Structures are given as C-alpha cells and as structure tokens.
Amino acid sequence: MRRWVRAGIAAMGAVGALASAADTLPPAVEQALARARVPASALAVSVADAAPGGRVLLVHRADVPVNPASVMKLVTTTAALDLLGPAYTWRTAVYADGPVRDGVLAGSLYLRGDGDPKLVTERLWLLLRRVQALGIRHIAGDIVLDRSAFALPPHDPAAFDGEPLRPYNAAPDALLINFRAQVLTFVPDEGARVARVGLEPPLAEVAVPDTVPLGDGPCNDWRAALQADWSDPRRPRFAGRYPLACGERVWPIAHPEPDRLAARAVAGVWAQLGGGLGGRVRDGTVPPGLAPRLLFDSVPLADVVRDVNKFSNNVMAQHLLLTLARAPGLASAGAATAVPPAPATFEAARTVVRDWWMARLGADVPPPVVDNGAGLSREARVTATALVRLLQWVYASPWMPELMASLPVAGVDGTLRRSTMGRGLAHLKTGSLADVQALAGYVHLPDGRRRVLVAIVNHPEARAARPALDVLVQWAAGQP
C-alpha cells in the first residue's frame, strides 16, 4: 500500500489524541484576544505535528463547526489536486460551420467554454490569434459563445455584501473572460496635468475617458477622489481628479453588466487584431455534429491552485469546484472531441467533494459544508479538527509540494505579504469576512520540522483578533 494511503489511515488515530491535547489557550494568545475585545469562546483552534497521527499540541473548540471564510479553499484545491491532478487543463474548443476561402469564414465561429478559470486578456488574445492562424480573417456570420458547460442559477453580485462592482463577487461562467472584470489603468502625465486612462480587455461598445485631471495632495483613497460614475456601463465617467502622488495604478472592477462582458471582450479583442465580423457576438450552442477546428488548453491546474490560494480568488475556486462535477467525462485527452459531459452544478460538485472526503479521510470526522467552494458564504462550515486532518493527509500525499507552494508565505507574498508574524515562518491560507478571521496551513520549526495550524475566529469584531492569530502562529513555531 502506498505511503500516502497508509498515512491517511493513520490520521484517523489522531482523533483520540485530540481529546488529550491541551485545551487552554497560550497566555499570549489570551492577552491578544482580550486587547481585541474578542472572547476566547469565539476562537476555534487546533495545532498538531504535520505528520498524520502526529502529536497534537493544542485544541480549543476544535470540533465546533465554524464559518472558515476563504480557508475553505483548502478543501476545494486539495480535492482538485487529488481528483484531477496538477497537470490537468481545461480546453476551450473552437468550431466553424462553414468553409474558409481567401481568409473569409463563410459561416459562424463558435467558442465553447470548458470552465477555464484563467482565460484572461492575454490568453484570449492568444486564442483569437490562433483562430486567425487557421486562415480566418473575416467571419461572415456570428461569433457564438457556448457557455453550456455550467448550469447555474441566476446570480446577483450585490446579494452577498451590497458591493456588485467588487471582483470577488463575480459569478462563475463556463466561458469566463478576465474573471468578469475590467481593469482600468492610470498613468500620470505631469506635463499635460492629466492621467492617461487605459482599459483591459478592450470592450466593444464601452468607451472610457482618455484622461482625467491630475490633483495635488497625498494618494490616500484615490478611487474615491476620482468620483467615478458607473450608472452607464458603456460610458463610465470621472468627475474628480487623480492624485499625482499615486504614480501608476490599476483598478480592477467587475463589469457593471457581467453577462455582457464576454461578448464585449471577444468583439473588442477580435477587432483589435484586425479581424472582420459580418454578424455579431452572441450566446448560443455548438450545433450537433461539428468537429472542433482548434482546442485551446488552459494553464495547468497547479497554476490555478496557486492563484486561488495565494490571492484568494473566489471565482477561480468556484470553477475548480464545478469542474469536479464534470471530471468523470473529462478523463481522456480527447474528451473535447466527444459528446460533452452533463453541465456542472454546485449540487453535483458538492456530492463529489463529500464522497472524496469520506474516501480519503474517513467517516469519523464530519465533512465540511462546502457551499460554493470559495468560502464567500454565510452557510459554509467546517471544524478545526477536520482541517487539521486534511492538512495532515495532504502532507503525506504526492500533492504536498503543489499545495504548500500555493499557500501565501508569511511576510513574502499573496495575502500574507504584509504580515509581521515572521518572514517565512509559515505557509498559511488566510480567510476574511466581516465577522470571520482565519488562518490554516503549515508552520515551520527551526529544525526543519513542520506543524499544521488551524485558527478561526467567528465574531462581529473578528478583524481586531488578527494579531492574536499571528501570536498563535509564533507560539506554534516556538514549542519544543
């Protein structure tokens, strides 16, 4: 039996060890919580040696289901690495329903999305360049976007927190372009006393001002200083000024008409490449019987996992979860040429994760309530014990290097870039909502050994408790 399977079974013995571990919080952690005015009863903690079945140093409310915020991404990314493998890719398939003569496609072009989580502007540009390499310079018909790989309910981007233009509220899309976000760039031209404004991706029908006046004073809240007006999604306006002190800045913002972004981006990039279009860009499905003219592979899953965990990308995490519902039909390299699998749903994906959890970690610890797989949820729940078991299991699995490398490094990168807990002290996934603060991952000891740590605060003042979690990490790294 493989070492990592044996290790997974050995981890089941950790439950008994949890019962005998210390359940009194370290004094420094209690003091930090008191300063934050957060009671100890709001904190769930488990700290143990990284090896499955290893010594447990601390448990505190570890078996109480809590909201983990983005720490839930550890479940989604680990399941994806195990079920799909780090080299897995998504394939956007290109079809045409007519012949190509003298650079003209006498028909329509079809782009069928496979759920690629990272079809960003530059990769869309490369995809359409490859279409042109097929000899297609002008499309007499339409460009048809087939998004049928996902079957999802209507999504209100304002429903979670009333912030519909925040990119983290974007919904999944089988043909997800640039995370459904537009990126504005501001470059000061001091001589002209303006900031030059750019837009990526180029969006058909959308025109942003070429410039905005420069202002004096500190950078501070420069977005508010612009006094942006998004009431007309195709004609945004800036009534304010851009502070010269800010230098060059970028502003990612969810497109105000999210369902139109893919069509506008495809039309905009196609036109920028000099492509002609007799019809329009619209939604539809690929007619039966057509064979793909081109298969465009995504970046590998390991790269996606890194983006999900380093930068806590919500929509990418949801794409990973939904892909698990289609995994059985995507096992072969030629799957894109066959009849596509059934459209993915969150319900089906959650079933896959639950079955995987039971097979890998056993039934002695209840599986998490995954919801959308990203942690941007009020319903998601997991225990600290369950996450420790997951981190111990993956530590002994073949996927440990990919998973650990995907986690933010304290004081170095990702969502822990500004952390002061100790540079390089830990690889940890962060989680943050209005009433949640969480850390989970691996803490490095001076002798080269590692420990797993899970710490989650659920409380209206959770944000103030973040220093207490940092102290806990330092305590875990300092215990003999």
Side-chain angles (χ1 to χ4, degrees):
M1 185 180 295
R2 295 180 180 177
R3 171 178 169 270
W4 61 284
V5 175
R6 292 200 306 270
I9 295 173
M12 297 179 186
V15 174
L18 287 174
S20 60
D23 61 2
T24 301
L25 292 174
V29 176
E30 290 185 329
Q31 292 165 12
L33 287 173
R35 286 192 295 270
R37 298 183 179 180
V38 173
S41 60
L43 174 64
V45 174
S46 183
V47 180
D49 289 335
R55 182 172 58 113
V56 180
L57 284 78
L58 174 66
V59 292
H60 176 75
R61 300 181 68 247
D63 292 319
V64 178
V66 291
N67 187 331
S70 285
V71 163
M72 183 60 78
K73 293 180 174 74
L74 287 172
V75 176
T76 306
T77 53
T78 301
L81 284 168
D82 192 36
L83 291 171
L84 302 174
Y88 177 87
T89 57
W90 292 259
R91 284 186 158 179
T92 302
V94 179
Y95 302 79
D97 61 6
V100 179
R101 294 189 182 91
D102 299 324
V104 178
L105 168 61
S108 293
L109 188 81
Y110 298 81
L111 305 179
R112 187 169 73 189
D114 186 33
D116 182 350
K118 201 173 181 179
L119 192 55
V120 292
T121 301
E122 56 267 35
R123 292 194 58 79
L124 175 62
W125 183 92
L126 181 58
L127 168 61
L128 295 180
R129 280 290 293 151
R130 291 187 179 176
V131 169
Q132 292 187 338
L134 298 174
I136 300 172
R137 298 290 175 176
H138 181 86
I139 300 167
D142 298 332
I143 299 178
V144 181
L145 310 182
D146 187 337
R147 302 149 101 164
S148 60
F150 293 168
L152 304 175
H155 175 76
D156 178 4
F160 185 76
D161 58 4
E163 297 282 357
L165 299 183
R166 297 281 189 172
Y168 61 73
N169 277 321
D173 186 337
L175 194 62
L176 182 76
I177 305 295
N178 213 52
F179 314 125
R180 279 192 165 181
Q182 55 191 9
V183 180
L184 297 169
T185 60
F186 298 88
V187 181
D189 183 340
E190 190 171 2
R193 295 298 300 171
V194 298
R196 309 287 178 185
V197 183
L199 175 66
E200 290 292 339
L203 299 176
E205 305 174 1
V206 176
V208 300
D210 294 327
T211 63
V212 61
L214 285 178
D216 298 320
C219 191
N220 294 337
D221 191 357
W222 59 274
R223 293 179 178 88
L226 286 167
Q227 299 181 37
D229 178 3
W230 306 101
S231 57
D232 183 349
R234 295 179 296 177
R235 297 290 185 275
R237 292 288 179 265
F238 302 113
R241 294 177 177 270
Y242 179 79
L244 173 62
C246 289
E248 297 184 15
R249 297 275 178 152
V250 296
W251 186 2
I253 187 166
H255 191 53
E257 293 181 323
D259 290 337
R260 293 289 301 147
L261 182 129
R264 287 171 176 165
V266 169
V269 174
W270 181 249
Q272 191 179 69
L273 290 171
L277 181 61
R280 59 191 178 95
V281 183
R282 61 177 176 86
D283 288 340
T285 55
V286 177
L290 283 185
R293 302 279 185 97
L294 171 66
L295 298 174
F296 185 75
D297 284 348
S298 72
V299 300
L301 181 138
D303 289 4
V304 171
V305 166
R306 184 182 186 279
D307 285 350
V308 168
N309 285 334
K310 288 281 188 190
F311 306 106
S312 213
N313 190 301
N314 289 319
V315 72
M316 293 178 83
Q318 293 180 64
H319 273 235
L320 282 180
L321 180 65
L322 289 164
T323 298
L324 297 180
R326 291 166 56 84
L330 299 176
S332 66
T337 63
V339 176
T345 65
F346 279 121
E347 181 180 5
R350 287 190 287 264
T351 298
V352 171
V353 171
R354 182 182 180 87
D355 291 347
W356 166 81
W357 180 280
M358 301 294 282
R360 289 302 196 210
L361 300 174
D364 55 313
V365 175
V369 178
V370 172
D371 195 8
N372 57 29
L376 190 71
S377 167
R378 303 298 181 194
E379 287 72 44
R381 292 292 184 274
V382 71
T383 67
T385 295
L387 286 177
V388 161
R389 289 275 299 278
L390 176 71
L391 289 165
Q392 289 179 322
W393 177 86
V394 76
Y395 190 73
S397 82
W399 322 126
M400 183 274 282
E402 283 79 10
L403 192 281
M404 187 179 294
S406 77
L407 301 180
V409 184
V412 175
D413 64 8
T415 55
L416 283 180
R417 183 167 61 89
R418 294 186 174 90
S419 171
T420 59
M421 69 177 66
R423 181 178 173 85
L425 184 64
H427 281 69
L428 297 166
K429 181 72 195 78
T430 61
S432 179
L433 291 174
D435 51 2
V436 181
Q437 282 291 311
L439 291 174
Y442 301 96
V443 180
H444 308 299
L445 277 63
D447 61 5
R449 291 180 299 121
R450 296 188 176 99
R451 291 185 173 133
V452 293
L453 175 146
V454 177
I456 303 171
V457 176
N458 282 190
H459 189 270
E461 300 298 324
R463 191 177 302 274
R466 181 59 185 269
L469 303 189
D470 292 355
V471 170
L472 183 61
V473 174
Q474 293 167 337
W475 174 87
Q479 294 307 297

